[in-house]
Amino acid sequence: MKVGFVGLGNMGLPMAKSLLGAGHALTVWNRSPARGEPLVKQGARMAATPADAARGADVVFSMLADDVAAEAVSVGPQGILEGLGKGAVHVSSSTISVALSQRLTDAHASAGQGYVAAPVFGRPEAAEAKQLWVVAAGAQVDVERVKPLLQSLGRGLTVLGERASMANVVKLSGNFLIASMMEALAEAFAFTRKSGVEPRQFLEVFQSVFAGSPIFANYARAIAEERYSPAGFALRLGLKDVGLVLEAARAAEVPMPLASLVKDQYLGGVAQGHGDLDWSALGALVAERAGLGKPPR
């Protein structure tokens, strides 16, 4: 295919390189043109503007840092919308807001163009090694058209549906999980370290028991399937254990704000009479508050 690529940052550059290596005719644009020189040496063409990168392309990718950059490059003067032909597809791999994704969908539809949201999970080294996981959403005909390109970027692809912003919802949810995990890890390491445990020792336990284990996968499945009974570990026992963590942390003068939040969540579940359900029933309690379902059982 004739492919344009806009945004050659730490993620965009290796992704563009993968597309070029897959045999596609590639035109690239970056605010700092020097970033594209390695690709030009391999046969890519350097564009003067995002519109130029999109002009004549079957598909144009964008990988920008934030909403401001993504919107300016997409619909601003000399932007992708201006250069992309009717029937061609813009694939946005940027991590952007759900609202902007919907605005871009509408703008491209009004211009007779396709729009697919396809953010990726993985760090720059994963992009270099073609080990990204891509989540994509958009009109089925557009997703099918760009699927070979998306598959060339990584180790897997999940197609979510015909509303492009669904992919952004999943990407943001995934990043929230990562951020929450980092807070939990930071609190756990601080607590154990201040209590006299060497960080390398706790790291060994984490790597042996939690990292790569089925623990998280099994609890995610329980929440997805709303399966909270019979309890493998009761919610009231979860409240007890998190309370013990906070008691010891208080004695060691270690602030653990996430642990405090989790304790309050469990306390609410017990107060509502759900203490004998599995402690993963937090999934149902949160869903109920979001207006998604009945009380857990």
Side-chain angles (χ1 to χ4, degrees):
M1 294 185 189
K2 293 180 180 178
V3 180
F5 204 106
V6 172
L8 301 174
N10 291 337
M11 292 295 292
L13 183 60
M15 290 170 65
K17 188 184 299 182
S18 293
L19 293 170
L20 187 61
H24 302 288
L26 190 67
T27 300
V28 299
W29 178 87
N30 193 67
R31 186 174 55 181
S32 303
R35 287 284 296 177
E37 288 178 3
L39 298 173
V40 172
K41 290 178 180 178
Q42 296 174 48
R45 182 179 74 86
M46 179 66 70
T49 65
D52 184 32
R55 195 167 286 114
D58 301 305
V59 178
V60 61
F61 279 76
S62 62
M63 182 54 126
L64 289 309
D66 54 30
D67 275 28
V68 173
E71 190 160 24
V73 163
S74 297
V75 298
Q78 290 295 302
I80 290 170
L81 190 78
E82 186 176 318
L84 199 62
K86 289 188 181 298
V89 182
H90 175 191
V91 176
S92 171
S93 291
S94 308
T95 300
I96 58 174
S97 68
V98 174
L100 177 57
S101 186
Q102 187 57 57
R103 291 201 302 273
L104 293 179
T105 299
D106 295 341
H108 283 291
S110 296
Q113 303 160 354
Y115 178 79
V116 172
V120 300
F121 287 107
R123 292 166 58 86
E125 54 266 31
E128 191 72 45
K130 301 180 184 178
Q131 289 297 300
L132 299 172
W133 193 276
V134 185
V135 290
Q140 184 177 359
V141 64
D142 295 327
V143 172
E144 287 299 320
R145 186 175 180 186
V146 304
K147 187 179 287 186
L149 299 172
L150 301 178
Q151 290 171 330
S152 72
L153 296 175
R155 61 189 177 90
L157 167 68
T158 299
V159 177
L160 297 162
E162 298 219 7
R163 193 170 73 251
S165 61
M166 294 169 67
N168 303 100
V169 168
V170 170
K171 170 61 176 174
L172 294 174
S173 297
N175 281 9
F176 162 71
L177 288 176
I178 295 170
S180 301
M181 175 193 68
M182 287 190 288
E183 173 66 20
L185 285 172
E187 292 184 17
F189 270 97
F191 171 49
T192 52
R193 181 181 174 187
K194 199 163 185 183
S195 300
V197 179
E198 288 291 326
R200 58 181 175 78
Q201 294 175 314
F202 184 65
L203 176 62
E204 180 181 334
V205 173
F206 173 78
Q207 291 175 327
S208 300
V209 179
F210 300 103
S213 81
I215 292 175
F216 296 113
N218 288 339
Y219 281 125
R221 185 177 298 108
I223 292 173
E225 297 176 355
E226 300 180 292
R227 179 169 38 82
Y228 307 118
S229 183
F233 188 76
L235 192 148
R236 67 173 67 255
L237 295 178
L239 172 62
K240 182 262 297 182
D241 285 1
V242 177
L244 292 176
V245 169
L246 285 168
E247 181 182 321
R250 183 168 56 252
E253 297 182 343
V254 179
M256 298 184 71
L258 183 60
S260 297
L261 171 64
V262 173
K263 179 190 175 185
D264 285 344
Q265 295 281 65
Y266 280 133
L267 181 59
V270 170
Q272 294 174 50
H274 306 308
D276 293 326
L277 294 178
D278 190 84
W279 64 340
S280 59
L282 277 185
L285 295 172
V286 174
E288 183 186 8
R289 289 199 300 273
L292 289 172
K294 300 175 182 178
R297 60 186 186 280

